[in-house]
C-alpha cells in the first residue's frame, strides 16, 4: 500500500505557494470551510486506533425566522480487518469491533448521524461470482446481529446510524439485497433503503447476487434532519439523486466500494454535482485498501486471473449545496470524516439559485413518459 | 485583469513535482489526453491576434466493425471588443470580425464543428434590466445577419457552426429567445435550439427578456456526429443533459456566460458530470473578461449600485464520456480550444459502464409523473 499516492489535497498543500493555493482551493473546492476543533481525547483515540480523523464546518447565514439547525455527520471508511479466508463469523466480528471503535470516537466528536461504507460487514467479494461463502454475510435488515449491535450504539450515543449491509429478506423468498438500514438515535429501527441501480461493469455484475432495489426514493425524517441513501453505483445516475431531493432530503449518503482503475476521476465529480443540482448535502464514502480473495477470478479484460481487483481509494468527502466540499480522507488509511453543517443552508441555496423552481419537472415527466415507449423516435434534426 | 489568477492547471504544472503531478492530474482530470500538434501558421496567427490556442485528443479503441469517427471540435471564448456604449451595430460588427478571425484559425486547425459562447454578438447586458438598447442586439435565427455571415464561413471552411444568439422571433409575436442556431457545413441553416432553463439568480432574472425554451431536447445530425446544445443555466439541471443523451447526442455544447463570484467552483463539475452520466462529450464554453455598462445597476445584494457584475472567468473545457477532460482555457484571455475526439468512444463507454442500460427511465417517468401532481406527498419515513 505504501506506493499508493496519499491525497490530492495534501500534495497541493505541500507544494503550492500560499496565494496560489487559495485560488486553486477556491476553484477546485469552493468556499473555504471551517476546520473543526475536535476534542483532544477523540484525536488521541484516533491516533491510538490508527485511523485518520478530520473535521470541517459548513456555515449558513443567520435567519430571523428559523434557528440554525446545526448537525454533525460522520463518514467512516475502512479496510477489512482480517483475511477473507477467515471464518465468516470472525470476519463479521472483526468489523463489528473496528466500527464500534470508530463510532465511539464519532460520539466523542458530537456526531449526530454516522454512515459506514457499502456492505461494511464483509469484503466486497462480488467480483468472485462465488455464492459460497459470501452469501453467508447476508443478514436481516430488521433484526440481524449487525442491526442489533448498532441499535445499542445508536441509543447509547444518541446517534442516527446508517448501516449499509448485504441483506437477506426472509419475507420475500430469502433473496439478497444491497440495503442501507437506518437506525434512529432512539435505538429504534427506522427503515431501509435499497440500491436502485446495479452495476454491470468491470469486475462486477452484482445482479449475480441481488437485483435493482424496490424501495424507491424514500427519505427518513430523523431528529437531525431529513436523510436518504443513494448506494454506490446509483451515484452515476442523476435522476436517482434528484428523486431523493424531490422527496425532501437534506443530506444524501453515498456509501460505496470502488477502485482506482475504474472510477477515480469520476469520484470527486458525481456526489458533488448532486449536491449542487439538488441543493442538499452529499456524503460520499468509499472503502479503502486492497482485498485479496482465496480463489483466483478473471475480470473479462483479457488479463490473467488474479486474486484482487485493485485498490479501494477511500477519499471520502462531504459536499455542500453551495458548491463547496471538504478535502477527501486519505486514499490509503481508515478514517472518520466529521462534517458540521447548518441544514438551513439547503433552503438558502434553493432561494438563491432557484433550481427547484426552474427545474421544469413537468417537462421531464412528459418527455420521459414518451421516451420509454417501445416505438419512441428521438427528436433528431437532419439536413434535407 | 492582471490581478486575476490565470488557471489552476498552470499553477499545478508549475509547482508540483513530476511524479505527484501525474497522480494529481489522473485524479482531477482523468486519463492523460494527447496534446495536439497544431499547424504552425495557426499558432502564429493566434499569437498575432492575441488569443490562446490549445489542442487535445481523446482516443478510442479500434473496433473491427466500425471505422474510427474522428472529429475536431472548436470552443471559442472571448471578451467583447468595444465598449458597451458604442452603437449597437458597431458592437455587433466588432464581434463578427473577432469571431471571423478565430474561426479562420479553427479552420487551419481542421476544426469540423465550432461553437461560440452564449449570446456572442453582444455584451451580457441582462443584468441591467434595461430593454433599450439591448433588445436591438436580437436578430432572426433563420435569416439574421449573424446567421448569414456564418453560413458563408461554414460553407467556406466545411465546418458546422453553432451560433448562440439573442433571437427575435418574428413569427411568434416578435418575442425574444436565447437560442443556438446550428449551421451545417454545407452552409445550410439546420435548425435552432433554445435555452430550456432560465435563471433567476444573482444579477439575472433573464425572464425579463425571454422565457423558458420550447424546442425540447432536439439533436442535430451533422456530417460530423450528433450534436445538441444545452445553453448556460441548463447545465445546472441534470435531466436537461439527460434528455439530449436520450435523443442520441454524442457531443453536447454548453455555451455560457457566468462570473467567478457566482459559479466558479461548480464550473468544472457540471458539464463533466453530464459527460460521465450520459456517455457523451460535453464542451463547456464561458465568456471572458469584465463588461462595464453605461448605467449603474443594483444587484439585490444590499451593496451599492455599480456598472459591472464581475469577471467572466473563461476556463472553457471539453469533457469525455470516460471521465477525462482537457485543461481549461485561460481565465483571462480570449481562446480557441481544439478537441479531437473519436466519437466511437461514446458507445464504447456505454458498453463498458452500461449507464443507459441501468438507468431505469421507466421508474423515473413514473415517479416524476407522480411528483408533479399538486397533491403529491413525498415518501418520508418517520419514527412511530
Amino acid at each position: 500500500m505504501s506506493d499508493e499516492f496519499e491525497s490530492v489535497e495534501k500534495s497541493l498543500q505541500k507544494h503550492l505557494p500560499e496565494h496560489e493555493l487559495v485560488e486553486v482551493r477556491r476553484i477546485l473546492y469552493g468556499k473555504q470551510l471551517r476546520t473543526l476543533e475536535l476534542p483532544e481525547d477523540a484525536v488521541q483515540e484516533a491516533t491510538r486506533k490508527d485511523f485518520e480523523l478530520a473535521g470541517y464546518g459548513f456555515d449558513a447565514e443567520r435567519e430571523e425566522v428559523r434557528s440554525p439547525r446545526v448537525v454533525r455527520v460522520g463518514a467512516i471508511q475502512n479496510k477489512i480487518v482480517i483475511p477473507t479466508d477467515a471464518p465468516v463469523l470472525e470476519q463479521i466480528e472483526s468489523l463489528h469491533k473496528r466500527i464500534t471503535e470508530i463510532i465511539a470516537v464519532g460520539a466523542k466528536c458530537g456526531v449526530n448521524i454516522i454512515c459506514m461504507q457499502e456492505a461494511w460487514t464483509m469484503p466486497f467479494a462480488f467480483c468472485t461470482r462465488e455464492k459460497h461463502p459470501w452469501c453467508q454475510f447476508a443478514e436481516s435488515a430488521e433484526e440481524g446481529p449487525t442491526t442489533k449491535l448498532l441499535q445499542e450504539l445508536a441509543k447509547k450515543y444518541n446517534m442516527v446510524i446508517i448501516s449499509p449491509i448485504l441483506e437477506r429478506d426472509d419475507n420475500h423468498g430469502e433473496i439478497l439485497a444491497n440495503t442501507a438500514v437506518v437506525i434512529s438515535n432512539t435505538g429504534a429501527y427506522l427503515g431501509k433503503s435499497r440500491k436502485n441501480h446495479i452495476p454491470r461493469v468491470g469486475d462486477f455484475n452484482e445482479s449475480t447476487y441481488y437485483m435493482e432495489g424496490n424501495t424507491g426514493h424514500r427519505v427518513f425524517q430523523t431528529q437531525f434532519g431529513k436523510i436518504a441513501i443513494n448506494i454506490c453505483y446509483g451515484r452515476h445516475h442523476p435522476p436517482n439523486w434528484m428523486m431523493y431531493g424531490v422527496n425532501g432530503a437534506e443530506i444524501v449518503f453515498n456509501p460505496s466500494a470502488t477502485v482506482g482503475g475504474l472510477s477515480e476521476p469520476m469520484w470527486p465529480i458525481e456526489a458533488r454535482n448532486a449536491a449542487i443540482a439538488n441543493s442538499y448535502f452529499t456524503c460520499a464514502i468509499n472503502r479503502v485498501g486492497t482485498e485479496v480473495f482465496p480463489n483466483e477470478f478473471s475480470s473479462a479484460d483479457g488479463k490473467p486471473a488474479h486474486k484482487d481487483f485493485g485498490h479501494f481509494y477511500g477519499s471520502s468527502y462531504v459536499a455542500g449545496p453551495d458548491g463547496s466540499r471538504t478535502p477527501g480522507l486519505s486514499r490509503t488509511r481508515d478514517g472518520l470524516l466529521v462534517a458540521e453543517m447548518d441544514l438551513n443552508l439547503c433552503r438558502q441555496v434553493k432561494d438563491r439559485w432557484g433550481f427547484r423552481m426552474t427545474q421544469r419537472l413537468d417537462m421531464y415527466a412528459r418527455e420521459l413518459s414518451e421516451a420509454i415507449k417501445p416505438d419512441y423516435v428521438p427528436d433528431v434534426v437532419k439536413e434535407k
Side-chain angles (χ1 to χ4, degrees), chain A:
Chain A
M1 229 64 61
S2 60
D3 60 341
E4 281 289 341
F5 179 67
E6 194 184 355
S7 89
V8 168
E9 295 83 355
K10 282 180 185 141
S11 181
L12 302 185
Q13 183 123 23
K14 185 165 162 199
H15 298 293
L16 296 190
E18 183 55 27
H19 62 289
E20 292 189 39
L21 182 61
V22 167
E23 280 290 280
V24 167
R25 264 203 191 135
R26 177 182 69 78
I27 294 169
L28 293 181
Y29 295 87
K31 194 180 66 183
Q32 175 81 52
L33 302 178
R34 229 177 346 104
T35 301
L36 291 186
E37 280 203 41
L38 298 173
E40 190 50 37
D41 60 337
V43 174
Q44 283 176 10
E45 184 68 7
T47 305
R48 245 191 323 267
K49 301 293 186 188
D50 191 23
F51 64 88
E52 183 183 3
L53 177 63
Y56 303 93
F58 294 83
D59 297 321
E61 298 295 322
R62 293 303 294 254
E63 300 181 12
E64 295 185 46
V65 296
R66 295 193 298 180
S67 299
R69 293 187 302 137
V70 177
V71 302
R72 287 198 176 189
V73 163
I76 299 175
Q77 67 177 35
N78 62 284
K79 297 176 203 145
I80 54 171
V81 180
I82 61 175
T84 59
D85 59 358
V88 167
L89 291 178
E90 285 179 28
Q91 290 189 59
I92 295 174
E93 193 187 344
S94 71
L95 283 158
H96 279 185
K97 180 165 171 289
R98 180 60 168 162
I99 292 303
T100 299
E101 289 170 357
I102 301 180
I103 289 177
V105 172
K108 285 184 202 293
C109 296
V111 166
N112 305 113
I113 309 173
I114 207 160
C115 183
M116 279 77 83
Q117 65 204 19
E118 183 184 22
W120 73 269
T121 62
M122 62 183 291
F124 210 72
F126 309 120
C127 52
T128 65
R129 304 199 306 279
E130 301 161 352
K131 299 296 173 92
H132 174 79
W134 314 114
C135 290
Q136 298 182 62
F137 282 88
E139 53 180 289
S140 159
E142 292 79 6
E143 38 197 34
T146 297
T147 295
K148 287 208 161 76
L149 166 70
L150 296 176
Q151 285 181 295
E152 284 171 32
L153 298 178
K155 192 167 175 187
K156 175 175 174 187
Y157 296 131
N158 189 34
M159 194 188 285
V160 172
I161 302 182
I162 301 166
S163 169
I165 60 168
L166 184 64
E167 179 194 4
R168 172 79 71 184
D169 184 348
D170 285 333
N171 290 341
H172 297 90
E174 297 185 305
I175 59 162
L176 302 183
N178 187 315
T179 301
V181 180
V182 181
I183 298 162
S184 169
N185 56 311
T186 63
Y189 167 85
L190 194 51
K192 65 186 177 188
S193 182
R194 287 175 171 166
K195 184 170 182 169
N196 276 326
H197 298 268
I198 304 298
R200 280 92 167 155
V201 57
D203 277 90
F204 297 99
N205 182 341
E206 292 175 26
S207 75
T208 300
Y209 299 89
Y210 41 80
M211 299 292 279
E212 282 70 16
N214 60 354
T215 52
H217 294 88
R218 60 182 56 152
V219 164
F220 299 88
Q221 170 75 68
T222 75
Q223 189 186 315
F224 308 114
K226 288 181 178 174
I227 64 175
I229 307 100
N230 175 353
I231 301 177
C232 197
Y233 182 83
R235 76 181 175 281
H236 306 302
H237 290 286
N240 197 35
W241 291 106
M242 184 176 72
M243 284 309 305
Y244 295 115
V246 167
N247 282 336
E250 296 170 303
I251 312 169
V252 180
F253 294 86
N254 176 231
S256 298
T258 185
V259 293
L262 186 66
S263 66
E264 194 160 4
M266 302 175 174
W267 180 253
I269 304 297
E270 293 165 314
R272 190 164 169 217
N273 189 73
I276 295 167
N278 299 292
S279 305
Y280 54 45
F281 290 91
T282 61
C283 188
I285 303 170
N286 185 23
R287 61 174 65 203
V288 76
T290 301
E291 300 177 354
V292 180
F293 294 98
N295 306 316
E296 66 177 12
F297 56 92
S298 62
S299 293
D301 58 2
K303 293 184 185 150
H306 44 152
K307 294 191 172 183
D308 78 78
F309 62 95
H311 175 72
F312 292 107
Y313 52 81
S315 308
S316 304
Y317 68 97
V318 176
D322 61 353
S324 60
R325 60 156 286 185
T326 69
L329 286 179
S330 152
R331 296 181 71 259
T332 54
R333 295 183 65 204
D334 287 9
L336 169 63
L337 175 63
V338 180
E340 182 175 279
M341 48 186 74
D342 183 344
L343 295 179
N344 284 353
L345 186 60
C346 299
R347 196 162 91 183
Q348 290 173 14
V349 171
K350 282 182 186 166
D351 284 348
R352 175 167 164 72
W353 277 97
F355 296 149
R356 290 300 302 276
M357 179 172 71
T358 59
Q359 73 184 155
R360 303 184 72 181
L361 291 186
D362 55 334
M363 176 169 68
Y364 295 105
R366 198 174 61 242
E367 291 189 9
L368 281 179
S369 298
E370 287 302 311
I372 59 175
K373 292 181 181 167
D375 59 352
Y376 176 65
V377 179
D379 184 3
V380 178
V381 179
K382 296 185 177 119
E383 194 163 349
K384 277 156 198 119

